[in-house]
Structure formats: structure tokens, C-alpha cells
């Protein structure tokens, strides 16, 4: 209660102090003296009518730039005069729009996709100097037009893998789910689609991203100083913003490739008021498997689909509502009678409104369900093993803009989490010797309040600071084991049990998470930034694998497992060259992680009612250097990213037998010191382009057996120290060529993309496994996902 009162007083003091300062003289005039003509507008695609999100609208006479919001809208406050607007967006021709401001009005700007000429042209999707002038650190936005220029993976552009081409972001292998950001685990990333969290963002264990790119407008990754409105994860926020449909005409996209296809449609339900967008995407890999000669592959299955629905409605120019639906499903069985499946489903409803030209409000409600299952149909001991998560939340944010250089946000959010860690259901139709078992469900409540203040002092200095207060409660109904003091937490040391009623508080945690960044401009093209970030994470992924798998277990913080606390400090220098043709940056960071979860040696994680006996908290640290060079102009565009980083763990227990690697620091599963990515795109003409991606990284850590022994007639490997060896280094080259065809009618226009993955047939090991051989040590074998060059061909059509 005292902390809540303190927080309210703190917010009241900051808000009142900020408003008082503005009313006095923060820009040289009283608020009552501010006068101007309000000009609103909307930027759309000329062909499809879709809103263009993130387009830059520049008033040339004032050197003032606004960025269109998620619905393509922008707002300008101008004096009575003549002006020239310049509108830019990646992949579209620049629009120059002269007008005279004599009274309030609305402008409609339609942009057409660019036909590239042989001469050098440059088109920026936002303010070309934003990386220099903003106070943001480690925030990178990729527009879908940029992502589409990368070589496709298995015939499709891939959102998650596109993020892994950026500095500080990596994946553990070619079939890996999730991302590892600045030394963090895949569970330390909060992935949002239309504001709703998604717990498994991939199809087929990471071979495909679970998001239809035709539905997505842009993707923003926050990896350094995360805005205070976001909480609940330790490493990063990946914010995926979907498109809203056209308010004027119907259109769509169609794509067919080797392994999957997709179709999306969008258009007005009520013209100029309500639009709809739907997207369907699915694989036909099962059909391909059944056509093969290999009997094991013919009996395998690898199926997935996803579906999206978005309804956008404009109440008026200042108020709109968006409903978003998302559903994905996977089932996978490779030469086995065991099927693994998982599915995501989310609903989100967002209201965006403006009380005035300076004040705005966003209200978001969502409900997400993630289910994952294992089905065994061998004929004996058949069973279903099911698990799942439910996440329901509400978020409110108020924004006030005192001026272009002084903005303030304040808000609150809350969410309720329900986790079903696992339930074993024997098949009643077979003579199964298994007994049903259900692990106790877990219940948690996360809440937070926050503020963020962005302020610029002249041209040299910019400051962004914020504070987030997180409160978490672990709730009943639950039976909790009690353990003897001064002894390890293990089944042998249970001394009792305490029962908690439904909704009763079992454990609570709270804390303040400050966020701050400072930008100092050395000149108009160069700036230095310093940032600090503190995050709390109350949910953990318990796993002994390198990537997310359906056998992993999501676990809430309780009285045995405290929340992860992540402190990160970053320093960077940013510089643009030759009229913003080249963007460069160098960043260094250090991250301290408390209460990271490691499994004990020999842990049993499946169907474990008392998981605290199998895991142990530890300490983590990560540090690194990131280099980034991007070319925006000309026939040849692309970027180079290089990261040197370390991600280390240490577990020191009061009980020596629980120490891992003797209490010394050891590499995490995803520690890869060197990571290099080269991206290139070359336009042969307006209709033909070539692109390539080369990636190199240090092999990830693994644990090799040190000996073997016989037990009950079986020869078993003996493992001692964890993660002290590495698999061979990873490197791969992908190439693609895109042809644009222009028919007599727009329906015949389309793109053909031919790509070759793994051009020189590198057998990159995804993992190592060991098999016993009589009379010799256990033998190591590599598992490679892509061991040969893999060509793909896809056709896409916009209509």
C-alpha cells in the first residue's frame, strides 16, 4: 500500500511539474498563445487503397516531419501560408504536394509503387535522419518492402529470420523457434501481434514464421532502451503491426511456392468507414511427402496453417476501432507414431482516439491462447499429453504532445495468466498401462503503471526517460509443498503441504523499472547515445533444449522461483554519410541477469508437479559490441551487421552438490561470440533484381560425454561439465532472383522469385547426438537440417 501511494504521488509530482514547466516557458510562449491551422491527412496505396504506415510527411518550408500512424493518418499544425509537402515511403515514388493553408481541412495522398530507373534514387520510409536525431537506442523498424528484398526461406519471406540479420540478434540454428537478443533466452522476448502476445511464433519448429507477411505492415524490435509501456520480458520486445484494409476498393495478394501458399483479401465493408482484411496461409508438404519413394517419409506428416482477420472502423477523423484475429496450427510427425502439435489463437480490440490535436488515448484489450500437445498412437500405451497457456489483458495509454520536441505518455496495464503445465490422458480404446495424471495449474496476475517523457533541448541534446512499476501476484488454487530448512529443495526433504484457495495470494513481487536514454549530437549527421534499462520477467521457459519445443514447460514465478531481473546499459555512436546514403552505428552493451533458471543435472521436467525440485536459480551476464552499416541508395542496397558477444551463466548453490560446473561461469546454450551477416540487393532493371544473404557465426555450445558406464545391463554416457564444447561454426549463402511481369491488365501483373538456399551445400550441424559403440567411447553424430542446395520457386500476384 505504501508503494502504491508513493507511486501515485511520484506520478502526480512529475505530471504537475511537467505541465507547469510547459505552461511557463518551455518553448518561449504560454500555451494560451499557441495558435495554428490543423491539417489532417491520410496516405494510402494508389492501387489497393491500403493505409501506408510509417510514411514520412515533410513540410519543406519548416523542415518539419510527421510519421503516419497505424492507419496512415497524420496531423499538422501550421500558420496561414503556402507550403510544399514531400511524402516518402519505402518502395514508393516520392509525392510532392503543394497547398495553401487557409483553414482546417483534410488531405488525401495516394502513392504508387516505384518502378526503379537505372539512375540512382533513394526513398526513405521515415525520417532519413531519425537514427541520428531520435533518443531511441536499439530500436529497429523493418518495413515489409525491405523484408521482401531478402532471399526467401523455403519460398517465403520470413519475419523472424529477417530480425536475425540485425546486430545483436541471432538464432541457434536453421530450424530454431524464436530469437536470442543480446544474450537472452528465447523466452525473454515479448512477441506482440496487434498488441496480443504470441508464445510460439513459428511453424515446423522454426522452418517457417507463423505470421503471414501479406498481413503485416512493419515490425519493430526494441533491444536496448525499451519504452516504459512494455514490461514482462527481460531482453526485447518484437512489435508486429498488421495492415488495415482499404476503405475505398477491394484487392488482394496471392502466392504459391514449393511448400506453401497464401491468399489475402481486403476492402471496404462500408466505403470510407469500415474495412476488412483476411489472410489464409497453409502448407502442402504432406502431399509432397506422400509422393516420395521413402516409406518412412510417406508415413510422415508436416502440416501447418495460419489465418488472420482484421476489421477497421473509422468513427470519425479522430476516433477509430480495430479488431484483429489470429490463429495458427501445426502438427508434425516424422517417421514416427508420435505427433507433436501446437496452436496459437489471439483476439485483440483497440480503440484510438484524440481529445484534441495534442491529446490522444489508446485502449487495448486482448485474449491469447497457446496449446501444445504430444499424441502417441503406437498401439500400446497410447496417450495424449496436453499443455497450454491463457493470457488475457487490458492496456490504457494517454499521450500528450506539448510540442514537436516535448511529448509525454502515461498509462497502465494488467493481465491474468493461466498455465496448464501438463496433463496425461491415456487412450481408453487401447489396453494402456498408463494412469492419467494432471499437473496443477498455475495462476498469476501482472499489473503495471508507467510514464514516458521525450524532450529535446535545442539541436544538440535529447532526453527520453520513463519509469514502470510492476506488481505480480502468484495465486491459488494450489497445494504447495513445504521443505526442511537448510537442506536442498528435493522430494526427500518434504516436511508438509499447504493448501491455498482459489484466488488466494501465495506470493507477490514488485519493483520499479527505470528506462532512460540521452542523445548528444556532435553535428547534424553524428550523435552519441547512452541508455539504461531495467526489466522484470515473471514467466520462465523451463527447457533443456536449444530452441523452443512443445516439450518445454512455461512456469510462473512463485515462492521458490523469483522473477528474472535484467539491468542493461548501452552506449552507441551513430553517423550518416553522403546525404544519408549510408547509415552506420557502433553499440556496446552490458547486461546483468538475476534469477535466471537452469535445470539441475539429471532433471526430470515432464509432468512434474513440484518443478522447484528440478530447477535452480542462477546468475547471468552478457556483453557485446555491435557494428552496423546500411546502404540506402542506388542499384545496390543492403547492410552489413557484425556482433561480438558473450552470454554466460553461473549457478552457485548453498549446497555444493547442486552447483553447475563447480560454480564457475559457463556459456549459455546460445552463446555465439562471432556473428556476421551480409545482405545485398542489386537491381538489374526496373523489373529484375538479385539478392543475397551470407551468414557466419561461431558454433553454439554443447556438452560432450566424458565417459560411459554400465547400469542394469545398459551402457550409459557420463556427462560432467556443461556447455564447454562447441559444434562446428555455421556459415551459409542464399541467393535469389526476382522477376516482375507487366501484363495488359493489372490482374496479370506478378512476381516470380527463384531462390537457392545453402548454395554451396554446407552441412551445418543443428545439433549433435551420441550413440554407444561396444568397446569404444560414445560416437558423435551431426544432425543437419539443410545439407544440400535447396532451390525454391514462388509466384506472387497483387490484384
Amino acid at each position: 500500500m505504501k508503494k502504491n501511494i508513493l507511486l501515485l504521488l511520484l506520478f502526480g509530482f512529475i505530471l504537475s511539474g511537467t505541465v507547469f514547466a510547459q505552461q511557463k516557458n518551455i518553448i518561449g510562449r504560454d500555451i494560451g498563445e499557441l495558435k495554428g491551422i490543423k491539417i489532417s491527412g491520410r496516405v494510402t496505396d494508389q492501387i489497393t487503397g491500403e493505409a501506408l504506415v510509417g510514411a514520412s510527411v515533410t513540410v519543406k518550408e519548416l523542415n518539419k516531419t510527421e510519421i503516419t500512424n497505424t492507419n496512415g493518418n497524420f496531423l499538422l499544425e501550421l500558420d496561414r501560408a503556402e507550403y510544399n509537402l514531400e511524402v516518402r515511403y519505402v518502395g514508393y515514388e516520392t509525392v510532392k504536394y503543394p497547398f495553401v493553408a487557409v483553414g482546417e481541412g483534410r488531405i488525401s495522398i495516394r502513392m504508387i509503387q516505384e518502378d526503379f530507373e537505372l539512375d540512382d534514387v533513394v526513398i526513405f520510409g521515415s525520417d532519413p535522419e531519425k537514427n541520428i536525431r531520435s533518443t531511441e537506442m536499439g530500436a529497429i523498424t523493418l518495413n515489409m518492402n525491405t523484408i521482401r528484398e531478402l532471399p526467401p526461406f523455403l519460398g517465403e519471406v520470413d519475419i523472424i529470420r529477417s530480425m536475425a540479420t540485425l546486430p545483436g540478434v541471432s538464432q541457434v540454428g536453421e530450424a530454431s523457434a524464436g530469437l536470442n537478443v543480446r544474450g537472452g533466452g528465447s523466452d525473454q522476448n515479448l512477441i506482440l501481434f496487434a498488441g496480443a502476445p504470441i508464445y510460439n511464433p513459428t511453424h515446423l519448429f522454426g522452418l517457417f514464421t507463423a505470421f503471414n507477411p501479406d498481413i503485416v505492415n512493419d515490425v519493430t524490435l526494441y533491444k536496448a532502451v525499451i519504452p516504459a509501456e512494455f514490461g514482462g520480458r527481460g531482453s526485447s520486445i518484437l512489435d508486429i503491426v498488421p495492415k488495415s484494409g482499404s476503405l475505398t476498393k477491394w484487392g488482394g495478394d496471392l502466392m504459391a511456392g514449393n511448400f506453401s501458399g497464401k491468399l489475402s483479401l481486403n476492402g471496404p465493408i462500408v466505403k470510407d468507414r469500415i474495412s476488412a482484411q483476411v489472410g489464409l496461409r497453409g502448407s502442402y508438404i504432406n502431399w509432397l511427402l506422400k509422393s516420395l519413394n521413402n516409406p518412412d517419409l510417406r508415413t510422415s506428416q508436416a502440416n501447418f496453417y495460419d489465418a488472420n482477420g482484421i476489421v477497421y472502423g473509422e468513427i470519425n477523423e479522430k476516433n477509430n476501432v480495430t479488431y484483429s484475429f489470429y490463429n495458427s496450427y501445426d502438427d508434425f510427425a516424422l517417421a514416427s507414431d508420435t505427433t507433436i502439435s501446437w496452436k496459437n489463437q489471439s483476439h485483440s480490440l483497440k480503440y484510438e482516439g484524440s481529445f484534441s490535436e495534442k491529446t490522444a488515448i489508446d485502449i487495448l484489450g486482448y485474449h491469447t491462447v497457446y496449446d501444445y500437445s504430444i499424441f502417441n498412437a503406437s498401439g500400446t500405451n497410447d496417450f495424449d499429453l496436453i499443455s497450454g497457456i491463457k493470457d488475457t489483458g487490458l492496456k490504457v495509454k494517454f499521450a500528450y504532445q506539448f510540442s514537436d520536441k516535448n511529448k509525454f505518455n502515461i498509462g497502465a496495464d494488467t493481465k491474468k495468466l493461466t498455465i496448464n503445465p501438463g496433463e496425461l490422458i491415456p487412450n481408453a480404446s487401447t489396453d494402456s498401462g498408463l494412469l492419467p495424471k494432471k499437473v496443477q495449474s498455475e495462476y498469476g496476475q501482472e499489473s503495471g503503471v508507467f510514464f514516458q517523457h521525450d524532450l529535446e533541448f535545442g539541436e544538440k541534446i535529447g532526453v527520453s526517460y520513463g519509469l514502470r512499476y510492476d506488481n505480480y501476484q502468484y495465486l491459488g488454487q494450489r497445494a504447495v509443498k513445504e521443505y526442511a530448512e537448510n537442506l536442498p529443495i528435493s522430494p526427500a526433504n518434504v516436511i508438509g503441504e499447504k493448501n491455498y484457495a482459489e484466488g488466494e495470494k501465495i506470493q507477490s513481487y514488485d519493483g520499479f523499472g527505470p528506462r532512460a536514454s540521452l542523445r548528444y549530437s556532435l553535428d547534424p549527421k553524428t550523435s552519441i547515445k547512452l541508455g539504461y534499462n531495467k526489466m522484470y520477467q515473471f514467466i520462465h521457459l523451463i527447457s533443456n533444449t536449444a530452441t523452443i519445443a512443445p516439450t518445454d514447460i512455461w512456469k510462473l514465478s512463485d515462492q521458490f522461483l523469483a522473477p528474472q531481473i535484467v539491468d542493461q546499459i548501452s552506449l552507441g555512436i551513430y553517423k550518416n554519410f553522403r546525404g544519408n546514403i549510408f547509415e552506420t552505428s557502433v553499440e556496446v552493451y552490458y547486461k546483468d541477469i538475476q534469477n535466471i533458471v537452469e535445470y539441475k543435472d539429471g532433471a526430470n521436467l515432464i509432468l512434474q508437479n513440484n518443478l522447484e525440485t528440478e530447477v535452480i536459480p542462477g546468475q547471468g551476464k552478457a556483453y557485446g559490441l555491435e557494428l552496423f552499416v546500411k546502404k540506402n541508395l542506388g542499384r545496390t542496397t543492403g547492410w552489413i551487421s557484425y556482433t561480438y558477444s558473450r552470454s554466460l551463466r553461473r549457478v552457485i548453490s548453498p549446497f555444493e552438490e547442486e552447483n553447475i560446473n563447480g560454480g564457475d561461469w559457463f556459456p549459455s546454450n546460445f552463446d555465439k561470440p562471432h556473428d556476421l551477416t551480409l545482405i545485398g540487393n542489386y537491381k538489374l532493371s526496373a523489373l529484375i533484381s538479385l539478392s543475397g544473404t551470407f551468414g557466419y557465426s561461431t558454433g553454439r555450445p554443447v556438452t560432450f560425454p566424458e565417459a560411459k558406464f554400465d547400469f542394469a545391463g545398459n551402457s550409459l554416457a557420463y556427462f560432467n561439465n556443461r556447455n564447454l564444447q562447441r559444434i562446428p561454426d555455421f556459415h551459409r549463402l542464399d541467393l535469389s532472383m526476382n522477376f516482375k511481369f507487366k501484363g495488359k491488365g493489372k490482374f496479370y501483373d506478378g512476381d516470380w522469385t527463384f531462390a537457392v538456399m545453402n548454395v554451396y551445400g554446407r552441412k551445418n550441424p543443428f545439433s549433435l547426438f551420441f550413440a554407444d559403440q561396444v568397446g569404444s567411447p560414445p560416437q558423435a553424430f551431426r544432425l543437419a537440417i539443410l545439407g544440400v542446395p535447396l532451390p525454391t520457386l514462388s509466384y506472387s500476384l497483387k490484384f
Side-chain angles (χ1 to χ4, degrees):
M1 187 63 181
K2 290 181 180 180
K3 287 185 177 180
N4 291 336
I5 294 174
L6 174 62
L7 188 62
L8 291 174
L9 290 175
L10 177 62
F11 280 163
F13 173 78
I14 291 173
L15 186 57
S16 61
T18 304
V19 172
F20 177 79
Q22 288 301 315
Q23 289 175 335
K24 286 299 180 184
N25 198 21
I26 212 162
I27 58 173
R29 293 181 292 176
D30 292 340
I31 284 181
E33 297 177 5
L34 290 176
K35 296 179 181 179
I37 297 172
K38 285 79 177 179
I39 305 295
S40 62
R42 193 164 191 256
V43 181
T44 59
D45 185 294
Q46 181 171 314
I47 303 301
T48 67
E50 296 176 1
L52 299 182
V53 182
S56 65
V57 181
T58 301
V59 182
K60 300 294 290 183
E61 289 76 9
L62 304 177
N63 195 25
K64 176 181 182 179
T65 299
E66 295 291 336
I67 305 300
T68 57
N69 64 14
T70 54
N71 302 308
N73 293 323
F74 64 90
L75 180 65
L76 299 170
E77 185 175 349
L78 306 169
D79 294 327
R80 184 186 298 266
E82 294 184 3
Y83 297 100
N84 289 277
L85 290 185
E86 187 170 279
V87 185
R88 293 174 172 178
Y89 192 71
V90 171
Y92 285 73
E93 294 180 354
T94 299
V95 173
K96 295 183 179 180
Y97 190 97
F99 71 100
V100 180
V102 295
E104 294 189 3
R106 185 169 176 82
I107 297 173
S108 179
I109 298 175
R110 297 182 179 182
M111 304 186 71
I112 190 167
Q113 291 196 24
E114 179 200 27
D115 285 331
F116 289 95
E117 302 295 340
L118 296 184
D119 294 335
D120 284 352
V121 294
V122 60
I123 293 182
F124 297 97
S126 60
D127 181 358
E129 296 177 357
K130 182 180 177 181
N131 64 319
I132 303 297
R133 297 197 304 223
S134 76
T135 55
E136 291 181 341
M137 285 196 70
I140 302 176
T141 298
L142 288 185
N143 182 277
M144 285 308 302
N145 287 328
T146 301
I147 294 175
R148 286 190 178 97
E149 292 184 350
L150 303 179
F153 188 89
L154 297 179
E156 290 193 31
V157 295
D158 192 295
I159 293 172
I160 299 296
R161 292 185 182 277
S162 298
M163 294 295 109
T165 65
L166 301 174
V169 186
S170 65
Q171 293 184 301
V172 296
E174 290 169 319
S176 56
L179 299 169
N180 301 110
V181 180
R182 289 192 167 182
S186 54
D187 65 321
Q188 291 183 319
N189 308 308
L190 177 60
I191 299 175
L192 300 173
F193 181 83
I198 304 299
Y199 284 85
N200 190 338
T202 61
H203 291 307
L204 298 186
F205 298 98
L207 286 177
F208 292 84
T209 296
F211 302 110
N212 184 345
D214 291 338
I215 301 295
V216 175
N217 187 78
D218 60 43
V219 186
T220 301
L221 176 70
Y222 300 95
K223 61 178 180 175
V225 182
I226 298 173
E229 65 177 282
F230 298 113
R233 293 295 192 276
S235 281
S236 75
I237 307 295
L238 185 64
D239 190 15
I240 303 173
V241 179
K243 295 178 182 177
S244 57
S246 171
L247 289 169
T248 58
K249 63 177 70 176
W250 280 92
D253 295 272
L254 173 68
M255 192 282 286
N258 297 56
F259 306 103
S260 64
K262 58 181 185 284
L263 171 68
S264 65
L265 298 169
N266 77 92
I269 299 175
V270 178
K271 192 171 182 179
D272 297 325
R273 286 295 181 187
I274 303 175
S275 70
Q277 175 142 317
V278 295
L280 299 172
R281 176 168 166 251
S283 70
Y284 25 82
I285 299 176
N286 282 345
W287 178 81
L288 295 173
L289 290 174
K290 294 184 185 303
S291 66
L292 300 176
N293 293 326
N294 188 308
D296 288 334
L297 294 178
R298 282 206 307 269
T299 59
S300 300
Q301 63 183 44
N303 179 55
F304 72 79
Y305 72 81
D306 54 61
N308 297 86
I310 300 165
V311 179
Y312 166 75
E314 282 194 357
I315 302 171
N316 53 45
E317 290 184 2
K318 295 184 177 181
N319 298 273
N320 61 77
V321 177
T322 304
Y323 165 73
S324 299
F325 167 78
Y326 169 77
N327 186 78
S328 72
Y329 175 79
D330 277 77
D331 61 64
F332 181 84
L334 183 60
S336 171
D337 48 33
T338 300
T339 301
I340 300 174
S341 72
W342 61 95
K343 60 182 178 180
N344 294 282
Q345 187 179 104
S346 73
H347 305 262
S348 64
L349 183 64
K350 185 177 183 180
Y351 164 76
E352 296 175 295
S354 298
F355 301 125
S356 67
E357 68 277 5
K358 294 185 176 295
T359 307
I361 181 174
D362 289 354
I363 302 175
L364 171 71
Y366 67 82
H367 177 68
T368 289
V369 178
Y370 172 52
D371 293 315
Y372 43 112
S373 312
I374 299 175
F375 306 99
N376 177 51
S378 61
T380 59
N381 293 334
D382 292 358
F383 66 87
D384 296 348
L385 179 62
I386 60 175
S387 305
I389 301 174
K390 292 182 180 179
D391 187 336
T392 304
L394 177 67
K395 179 178 179 180
V396 180
K397 182 177 72 171
F398 295 91
Y400 190 84
Q401 181 171 320
F402 297 103
S403 71
D404 291 341
K405 298 184 178 181
N406 195 344
K407 302 174 184 179
F408 188 83
N409 296 330
I410 189 169
D413 56 61
T414 186
K415 65 189 295 185
K416 185 173 183 180
L417 285 161
T418 301
I419 297 180
N420 171 18
E423 182 176 6
L424 180 68
I425 305 173
N427 193 329
S429 63
T430 61
D431 186 17
S432 175
L434 300 174
L435 296 176
K437 181 177 182 180
K438 186 180 188 308
V439 180
Q440 295 182 89
S441 294
E442 292 193 297
Y443 307 93
Q445 181 87 33
E446 285 186 42
S447 300
V449 291
F450 59 86
F451 81 87
Q452 187 87 33
H453 189 194
D454 299 324
L455 185 63
E456 292 186 27
F457 299 95
E459 296 297 325
K460 289 287 188 182
I461 299 175
V463 177
S464 177
Y465 63 94
L467 182 67
R468 181 180 177 88
Y469 171 72
D470 287 300
N471 180 274
Y472 166 80
Q473 296 187 36
Y474 187 63
L475 305 173
Q477 182 177 5
R478 189 171 181 83
V480 178
K481 299 292 185 184
E482 296 177 323
Y483 300 91
E485 294 184 5
N486 301 320
L487 290 174
I489 297 177
S490 68
N493 296 323
V494 174
I495 59 173
E497 183 176 274
K498 185 175 182 180
N499 291 294
Y500 292 87
E502 181 178 352
E504 184 178 359
K505 183 174 71 174
I506 302 174
Q507 181 70 38
S508 65
Y509 297 96
D510 62 358
F512 288 93
R515 326 279 171 85
S517 61
L518 171 68
R519 183 262 301 163
Y520 181 78
S521 296
L522 299 176
D523 57 56
K525 302 295 183 183
T526 311
S527 65
I528 297 175
K529 301 179 186 180
L530 175 67
Y532 170 75
N533 191 80
K534 189 182 189 74
M535 303 287 287
Y536 293 86
Q537 180 169 329
F538 304 101
I539 187 170
H540 317 267
L541 186 64
I542 311 299
S543 173
N544 57 4
T545 62
T547 183
I548 296 176
T551 54
D552 297 337
I553 299 162
W554 289 90
K555 174 79 177 72
L556 292 175
S557 292
D558 55 20
Q559 64 272 54
F560 305 106
L561 192 62
Q564 297 180 45
I565 304 173
V566 182
D567 292 271
Q568 180 181 185
I569 187 169
S570 306
L571 175 66
I573 182 167
Y574 307 81
K575 187 171 181 62
N576 290 358
F577 295 92
R578 295 182 61 189
N580 302 312
I581 295 175
F582 292 94
E583 299 177 16
T584 65
S585 65
V586 180
E587 292 187 31
V588 293
Y589 67 90
Y590 180 85
K591 184 185 293 187
D592 178 77
I593 311 171
Q594 300 297 323
N595 304 320
I596 204 161
V597 182
E598 288 286 341
Y599 61 91
K600 296 180 180 179
D601 291 335
N604 177 21
L605 305 179
I606 304 297
L607 292 175
Q608 180 57 251
N609 238 325
N610 304 107
L611 203 57
E612 65 271 10
T613 63
E614 307 298 320
V615 298
I616 188 168
Q619 179 184 2
K621 66 179 179 181
Y623 53 87
L625 166 70
E626 300 171 358
L627 305 177
F628 186 62
V629 179
K630 183 179 181 183
K631 185 175 185 287
N632 297 301
L633 175 65
R635 280 184 171 185
T636 303
T637 58
W639 64 83
I640 301 172
S641 70
Y642 168 74
T643 304
Y644 172 78
S645 64
R646 297 305 311 271
S647 175
L648 305 174
R649 302 287 186 262
R650 181 171 67 180
V651 175
I652 299 178
S653 170
F655 312 103
E656 185 176 353
E657 64 271 22
E658 292 186 336
N659 289 340
I660 297 177
N661 289 15
D664 295 331
W665 290 98
F666 61 91
S668 67
N669 288 338
F670 36 85
D671 174 67
K672 300 195 297 183
H674 299 282
D675 198 321
L676 172 69
T677 302
L678 307 177
I679 301 287
N681 184 273
Y682 180 73
K683 295 176 177 61
L684 291 172
S685 69
L687 301 179
I688 303 175
S689 63
L690 302 172
S691 60
T693 300
F694 175 78
Y696 167 84
S697 64
T698 308
R700 66 175 181 82
V702 292
T703 303
F704 288 171
E706 298 187 4
K708 69 177 185 178
F709 61 96
D710 292 326
F711 178 78
N714 297 313
S715 183
L716 305 176
Y718 171 72
F719 296 86
N720 187 14
N721 291 322
R722 187 178 301 182
N723 286 357
L724 295 188
Q725 294 82 27
R726 291 184 181 273
I727 64 175
D729 292 353
F730 172 95
H731 52 89
R732 194 183 80 204
L733 174 66
D734 301 337
L735 297 174
S736 70
M737 177 177 286
N738 179 265
F739 303 86
K740 297 180 184 292
F741 286 92
K742 298 292 183 180
K744 294 181 180 180
K746 66 179 182 181
F747 191 81
Y748 298 98
D749 296 348
D751 287 11
W752 286 94
T753 301
F754 174 71
V756 179
M757 297 174 54
N758 196 19
V759 172
Y760 51 84
R762 166 74 172 174
K763 291 181 172 58
N764 285 301
F766 177 74
S767 65
L768 298 181
F769 63 94
F770 298 88
D772 183 55
Q773 184 170 336
V774 177
S776 64
Q779 300 300 301
F781 296 88
R782 299 183 185 183
L783 172 63
I785 304 299
L786 297 174
V788 297
L790 180 62
T792 61
L793 181 66
S794 63
Y795 173 71
S796 62
L797 171 72
K798 183 180 286 287
F799 57 90

